[in-house]
Amino acid sequence: DAKTTQPPSMDCAEGRAANLPCNHSTISGNEYVYWYRQIHSQGPQYIIHGLKNNETNEMASLIITEDRKSSTLILPHATLRDTAVYYCIVSQMVTGGGNKLTFGTGTQLKVEL
Amino acid sequence: DAGVTQSPTHLIKTRGQQVTLRCSPKSGHDTVSWYQQALGQGPQFIFQYYEEEERQRGNFPDRFSGHQFPNYSSELNVNALLLGDSALYLCASSLLNLWGQDNQETQYFGPGTRLLVL
């Protein structure tokens, strides 16, 4: 499995951009980078995923380096409700189609006033 | 659009007992994956079901088994419960992608079932 490395914790002021880094130096050419977040023992919430191009949706932006060995999740205007554990995952293909998710320990993001 | 639902929300069992957890996938989804999340850890993949068959399995003993029904809902069964089975059990659903080049299937998670084994 391609492994990911994330800082264990980060702080961000409310209203500022939160930039969450992730290293995935062993990622394979056909593996995607997924981001999920989990708010205090709720089910993980899907945020965004990408292969090599930068992606943006209503929740966040995903910036993937050209060599694909690292990526950054950007929450453009963090609010208190964005306080959560953020997981960066390299999606592994499942035999017969589909993919499974291998979670690490993630980054605890704390958004403060 | 109904999201992923799981039942029950909480459950208390004693060692040696058996438990069944249930999951209804998001509307339109046909694939169900199960994860176990111990306290303070990230979720760990148990197995995935598609077309009523187990498609992939993680590193879990045979005490963990599952089933998928024709309506795509799924059950997770755990036999001979151990104290270490206490965890949040998460179900995720997705739609099989047979036509896309990337074969990616975004998984959407339910709220989980909190199991406590005494």
Side-chain angles (χ1 to χ4, degrees):
Chain A
D1 297 7
K3 303 295 184 185
T4 61
T5 304
Q6 299 178 253
S9 64
M10 293 182 64
D11 293 331
C12 179
E14 189 177 34
R16 304 295 295 270
N19 297 283
L20 291 89
C22 179
N23 288 320
H24 32 78
S25 58
T26 61
I27 192 171
S28 299
N30 62 349
E31 289 181 316
Y32 278 63
V33 178
Y34 275 78
W35 284 84
Y36 283 79
R37 72 181 184 184
Q38 189 172 27
I39 299 173
H40 192 55
S41 293
Q42 297 179 17
Q45 178 187 23
Y46 166 75
I47 301 173
I48 198 167
H49 75 281
L51 180 64
K52 54 184 177 182
N53 297 321
N54 297 336
E55 302 288 344
T56 296
N57 62 20
E58 65 279 2
M59 289 184 66
S61 295
L62 174 61
I63 308 299
I64 302 175
T65 58
E66 192 169 343
D67 63 8
R68 303 210 323 123
K69 293 184 177 182
S70 66
S71 60
T72 300
L73 179 74
I74 301 172
L75 308 178
H77 305 287
T79 71
L80 297 177
R81 289 178 295 180
D82 292 322
T83 293
V85 177
Y86 286 77
Y87 294 100
C88 169
I89 302 162
V90 171
S91 175
Q92 180 183 15
M93 297 303 296
V94 170
T95 302
N99 53 289
K100 75 172 187 178
L101 305 176
T102 301
F103 288 79
T105 51
T107 295
Q108 173 66 62
L109 175 68
K110 185 177 180 182
V111 180
E112 302 172 306
L113 293 172
Chain B
D1 182 17
V4 180
T5 59
Q6 293 186 243
S7 63
T9 56
H10 295 82
L11 204 52
I12 299 175
K13 292 285 188 178
T14 57
R15 282 178 297 173
Q17 285 189 311
Q18 178 265 343
V19 68
T20 297
L21 310 181
R22 295 175 177 83
C23 171
S24 292
K26 184 178 171 68
S27 178
H29 284 183
D30 57 8
T31 301
V32 172
S33 303
W34 286 92
Y35 293 80
Q36 179 197 65
Q37 186 174 23
L39 200 61
Q41 304 294 319
Q44 301 299 307
F45 176 76
I46 303 175
F47 42 53
Q48 185 177 85
Y49 277 83
Y50 170 70
E51 288 189 338
E52 302 180 47
E53 291 191 358
E54 185 180 288
R55 184 162 70 170
Q56 181 80 348
R57 188 179 184 91
N59 188 26
F60 280 80
D62 292 344
R63 298 186 297 109
F64 289 78
S65 63
H67 188 77
Q68 186 179 34
F69 299 93
N71 67 353
Y72 307 120
S73 67
S74 177
E75 289 182 348
L76 165 65
N77 300 292
V78 186
N79 294 322
L81 284 167
L82 304 174
L83 296 180
D85 294 332
S86 295
L88 179 68
Y89 287 86
L90 296 159
C91 167
S93 74
S94 54
L95 177 63
L96 177 66
N97 179 4
L98 287 175
W99 298 276
Q101 293 181 349
D102 57 26
N103 219 7
Q104 291 301 296
E105 301 171 8
T106 299
Q107 295 184 25
Y108 295 87
F109 285 81
T113 293
R114 175 76 61 188
L115 173 65
L116 177 61
V117 182
L118 301 177

